């Protein structure tokens, strides 16, 4: 059952060992004259190198594959490598040589989260053996857009299994299929989730950038903890067709990158309508806005930014985050923004947000309906014959590598115990409550009542309310925990949840379809602070483009 996928992965690893056996990378600072350092390389730097002929897309693929091999046995980031990546890169190089490019991302290797469907030789598993070997009729909507933009889909990243929607006692970044992913800023660092591998891969330059998905926090949280920019788009800006779902009302796919500019390029490539996802048909524009054009150093000038203080909770452990946040407020003031402080959500909304259960009911009932209707029923081949959530639970509880019962199925148990799905009146009442507490009495009410352009929060507190109403958030690096921070581990004691040099982020929140504005604010903040550059990961791949280009026969070995 798992033999084919394992053989595929081992084939790629054997190839990479051939490469590294003839190349040594003793000094990661020796990147070669004119070559960008891959942990920091931007879209525009790579475009310049490709256009000048300094390197090719085949070189990029070889370099990123080599970097993956260097760290994957330690950090467990990538679960699938595309065996066609080099041939695709060769085709894209030939197109470029003939004077044809498909866009700014032409020939760029990108990694995507393991729940984003592709109709190729890679598996789409959401980290579960229940879906290993399943075959889709076509690419997911976002994968199709990536290919149309000339992207080389290099592989797939590990994730918190089922996008963190199986167990009440598992760990961020663990899946049965992919094992435990670790962050790279501290040994055994919790990478957060559920887009765990995407976060770590992007932070280390294992590809130009990555895609993640979010239901509530799954782009934003791993982005901040891996020192990245993350865009959680408006639900419906990017297609979810053939992305393994949780909730049609909350799921969204977005970029995880090292710079705001790269995030804008990647969002530009994947945004837009898709007839296979009716939520995208509600977009208020025929074509998405110019997100790259929104990058303006003066974007904050004259804008009104609100601070909803009563959403920010937590004790002394997050003091470094709060200190950095106060500094960020001063930064945006100096950039010309008017800061409107203490614009708080209502007491009812806060109580429901912290203590209510409507948010849980909505995602559980959606999952019961959406998993079979929007994904399992679309499979051309379904080796385990899993047709609904009950089937998936039965498989998980009976297949030992799924690590049950040590990692329970508590979320699924609760969802199935509801006794209804997203077509029931009970569901509708819960959903309307979500819209009230996050909308009129929450984010949308604050934006309207105080005439605000956006809200700003530490990323630790930015995901929950926007998730309920499908509105966008952009997170950008803010700072790091000090070197003398006491290490705090997760409940299992297997991951470092807080510790020295672990990053955290700052978020800008806005109304639906306001991504261009939020990207502008994030860019203006990023350019004034460049917080990402303050600390480097403790583990960094040493392979660079210069090493690969110097060995011109590398690509012929695959």
């Amino acid at each position: 059952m798992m033999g084919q996928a394992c053989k595929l992965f081992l084939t790629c690893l054997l190839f990479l060992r051939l490469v590294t056996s003839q190349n040594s990378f003793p000094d990661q600072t020796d990147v070669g004259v004119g070559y960008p350092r891959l942990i920091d390389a931007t879209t525009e730097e790579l475009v310049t190198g490709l256009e000048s002929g300094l390197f090719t897309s085949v070189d990029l693929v070889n370099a990123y594959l080599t970097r993956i091999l260097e760290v994957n046995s330690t950090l467990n980031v990538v679960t699938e490598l595309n065996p066609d990546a080099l041939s695709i890169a060769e085709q894209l190089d030939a197109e470029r040589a003939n004077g044809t490019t498909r866009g700014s991302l032409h020939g760029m290797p990108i990694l995507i989260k393991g729940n984003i469907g592709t109709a190729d030789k890679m598996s789409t598993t959401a980290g579960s053996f229940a879906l290993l070997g399943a075959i889709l009729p076509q690419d997911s909507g976002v994968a199709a857009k990536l290919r149309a933009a000339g992207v080389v889909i290099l592989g797939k990243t590990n994730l918190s299994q089922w996008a963190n929607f199986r167990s009440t006692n598992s760990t961020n970044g663990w899946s049965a299929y992919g094992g435990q992913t670790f962050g790279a800023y501290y040994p055994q660092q919790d990478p957060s989730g559920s887009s765990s591998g995407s976060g770590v891969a992007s932070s280390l330059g294992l590809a130009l950038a990555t895609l993640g998905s979010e239901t509530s926090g799954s782009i934003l949280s791993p982005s901040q903890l891996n020192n990245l920019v993350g865009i959680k788009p408006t639900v419906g800006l990017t297609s979810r067709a053939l992305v393994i779902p949780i909730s049609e009302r909350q799921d969204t796919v977005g970029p995880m990158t090292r710079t705001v500019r790269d995030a804008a390029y990647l969002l530009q490539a994947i945004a837009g309508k898709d007839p296979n996802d009716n939520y995208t048909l509600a977009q208020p524009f025929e074509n998405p806005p110019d997100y790259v054009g929104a990058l303006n150093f003066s974007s904050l000038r004259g804008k009104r930014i609100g601070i909803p203080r009563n959403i920010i909770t937590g004790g002394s452990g997050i003091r470094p985050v709060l200190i950095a946040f106060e500094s960020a407020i001063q930064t945006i003031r100096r950039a010309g923004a008017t800061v409107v402080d203490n614009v708080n959500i209502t007491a009812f909304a806060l109580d429901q947000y912290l203590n209510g259960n409507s948010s849980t009911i909505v995602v559980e009932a959606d999952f019961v309906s959406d998993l079979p209707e929007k994904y399992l029923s679309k499979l051309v081949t379904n080796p385990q014959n899993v047709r609904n959530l009950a089937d998936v639970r039965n498989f998980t509880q009976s297949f030992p590598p799924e690590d049950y019962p040590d990692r329970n199925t508590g979320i699924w148990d609760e969802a199935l115990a509801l006794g209804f799905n997203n077509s029931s009146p009970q569901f509708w009442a819960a959903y309307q409550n979500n819209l009230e507490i996050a909308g009129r009495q929450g984010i949308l009410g604050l934006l309207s009542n105080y005439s605000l352009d956006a809200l700003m929060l530490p990323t630790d507190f930015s995901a929950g309310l926007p998730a309920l109403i499908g509105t966008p958030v952009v997170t950008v690096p803010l700072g790091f925990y000090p070197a003398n921070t006491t290490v705090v581990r997760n409940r299992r004691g297997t991951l470092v949840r807080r510790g020295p040099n672990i990053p955290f982020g700052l978020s800008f929140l806005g109304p639906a379809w306001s991504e261009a504005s939020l990207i502008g604010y994030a860019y203006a903040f990023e350019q004034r602070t460049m917080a990402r550059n303050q600390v480097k990961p403790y583990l960094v791949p040493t392979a660079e483009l210069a090493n690969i280009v110097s060995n011109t026969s590398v690509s012929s070995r695959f």
Side-chain angles (χ1 to χ4, degrees):
M1 175 167 38
M2 57 182 170
Q4 183 176 358
C6 289
K7 287 177 183 176
L8 170 61
F9 192 57
L10 288 172
T11 298
C12 296
L13 293 184
L14 287 170
F15 155 68
L16 290 172
R17 287 194 178 95
L18 284 173
V19 175
T20 54
S21 68
Q22 297 191 21
N23 291 275
S24 61
F25 315 115
D27 182 359
Q28 64 190 34
T29 64
D30 181 18
V31 298
V33 176
Y35 293 97
R37 190 177 178 214
L38 290 177
I39 195 170
D40 299 316
T42 66
T43 302
E44 292 176 358
E45 288 174 329
L46 295 185
V47 167
T48 298
L50 290 168
E51 289 180 346
S52 68
L54 183 64
F55 50 82
T56 66
S57 293
V58 167
D59 293 329
L60 282 174
V61 168
N62 279 323
Y64 285 128
L65 288 173
T66 306
R67 290 170 71 84
I68 290 169
L69 175 62
E70 279 192 75
V71 300
N72 212 47
S73 61
T74 302
L75 301 178
N76 235 23
V77 178
V78 177
T79 57
E80 302 282 334
L81 291 172
N82 186 352
D84 296 321
L86 279 168
S87 62
I88 293 169
E90 288 172 356
Q91 175 191 340
L92 293 167
D93 282 334
E95 290 179 15
R96 186 181 293 277
N98 290 331
T100 301
T101 58
R102 307 184 193 183
S104 300
L105 297 181
H106 185 99
M108 301 295 182
I110 302 288
L111 288 163
I112 64 176
K113 187 175 179 179
N115 62 347
I116 298 174
T118 53
D120 54 16
K121 296 171 185 174
M122 293 186 288
S123 292
T124 306
T125 65
S128 171
F129 287 102
L131 293 178
L132 185 60
I135 297 175
L136 291 166
Q138 61 194 41
D139 279 335
S140 62
V142 287
K145 283 185 177 292
L146 288 178
R147 294 195 207 274
V151 164
V152 180
I153 300 178
L154 184 62
K156 297 190 181 182
T157 57
N158 198 23
L159 69 162
S160 309
Q161 193 181 44
W162 292 101
N164 255 349
F165 208 74
R166 167 193 150 177
S167 305
T168 59
N169 67 341
S170 191
T171 52
N172 289 323
W174 179 89
S175 74
Y177 181 61
Q180 177 64 60
T181 296
F182 298 99
Y185 280 85
Y186 193 85
Q188 297 185 325
Q189 180 199 339
D190 187 329
S192 191
S194 64
S195 305
S196 314
S198 291
V200 180
S202 188
S203 76
L204 291 177
L206 305 188
L208 169 62
T210 60
L211 284 187
S213 69
E214 174 152 335
T215 306
S216 181
S218 288
I219 291 172
L220 297 173
S221 185
S223 289
Q224 74 152 341
L225 285 176
N226 290 286
N227 201 21
L228 296 174
V229 175
I231 299 179
K232 179 254 178 179
T234 303
V235 171
L237 181 65
T238 57
S239 173
R240 294 85 46 82
L242 295 182
V243 177
I244 298 172
I246 293 177
S247 167
E248 63 187 83
R249 287 159 184 80
Q250 295 186 200
D251 292 350
T252 188
V253 177
M256 301 173 71
T257 64
R258 295 179 293 277
T259 69
V260 177
R261 185 175 292 274
D262 285 345
Y265 275 116
L266 188 48
L267 183 63
Q268 200 78 60
I270 62 173
K273 297 180 179 179
D274 179 358
N276 294 314
D277 181 354
N278 64 340
Y279 280 70
T280 67
L281 306 182
Q283 293 175 15
F285 30 71
E286 189 57 36
N287 295 299
D290 183 356
Y291 299 120
V292 179
L295 301 165
N296 187 333
F297 186 80
S298 301
S299 293
L300 285 164
R301 184 177 300 156
K303 302 303 180 184
R304 290 172 57 83
I305 309 296
I307 312 296
R309 295 274 180 184
N310 67 343
I311 297 174
I312 302 172
T313 59
S316 60
I318 63 164
R319 179 173 168 77
V321 176
L322 301 181
I323 292 172
F325 181 64
E326 295 304 320
S327 177
I329 292 174
Q330 297 310 311
T331 297
I332 69 166
R333 279 199 174 110
R334 289 192 294 270
T338 297
V339 175
V340 186
D341 214 336
N342 285 303
V343 291
N344 294 323
I345 66 174
T346 69
F348 172 79
L350 183 63
D351 178 66
Q352 286 291 300
Y353 174 56
L354 297 177
N355 305 310
N357 67 346
S358 61
S359 60
T360 301
I361 290 172
V362 166
V363 292
E364 288 179 348
D366 260 349
F367 190 57
V368 169
S369 296
D370 291 347
L371 179 63
E373 293 173 11
K374 298 186 181 299
Y375 196 81
L376 298 179
S377 66
K378 310 291 186 184
L379 295 176
V380 174
T381 301
N382 187 343
Q384 302 306 322
N385 198 32
V386 287
R387 304 294 177 183
N388 52 44
L389 179 55
D391 289 345
V392 171
R393 181 175 67 172
N394 289 341
F395 174 88
T396 300
Q397 293 180 349
S398 60
F399 189 66
E402 290 287 326
D403 203 23
Y404 177 88
D406 183 53
R407 299 175 195 263
N408 64 36
T409 55
I411 293 174
W412 298 347
D413 300 340
E414 188 172 291
L416 291 169
L418 282 177
F420 58 84
N421 60 22
N422 64 9
S423 64
S424 75
Q426 300 101 306
F427 169 85
W428 191 250
Y431 181 53
Q432 291 303 306
N433 192 55
N434 282 357
L435 297 182
E436 177 70 13
I437 64 177
R440 191 174 68 88
Q441 297 194 42
I443 294 170
L444 302 184
L446 297 182
L447 293 169
S448 174
N449 296 339
Y450 293 92
S451 300
L452 301 173
D453 294 288
L455 303 175
M456 191 173 82
L457 284 167
T459 300
D460 278 332
F461 308 102
S462 69
L465 287 172
L468 303 185
I469 54 174
T471 51
V473 185
V474 177
T475 183
V476 64
L478 174 60
F480 302 81
Y481 279 93
N484 62 352
T485 300
T486 300
V487 168
V488 178
R489 291 187 171 269
N490 65 345
R491 288 178 298 176
R492 285 179 173 257
T494 55
L495 297 174
V496 174
R497 186 167 59 85
R498 186 183 304 140
N501 296 330
I502 290 179
F504 49 80
L506 176 74
S507 287
F508 293 91
L509 297 70
W513 319 113
S514 65
E515 283 82 0
S517 295
L518 299 182
I519 286 169
Y521 308 150
Y523 178 77
F525 178 82
E526 172 199 55
Q527 293 301 300
R528 285 169 170 81
T529 58
M530 302 304 289
R532 172 176 166 76
N533 299 333
Q534 295 170 10
V535 175
K536 293 298 182 184
Y538 83 91
L539 177 64
V540 177
T542 58
E544 296 289 352
L545 271 166
N547 310 121
I548 300 301
V549 175
S550 66
N551 188 338
T552 57
S553 65
V554 166
S555 62
S556 66
R557 298 197 193 106
F558 190 54

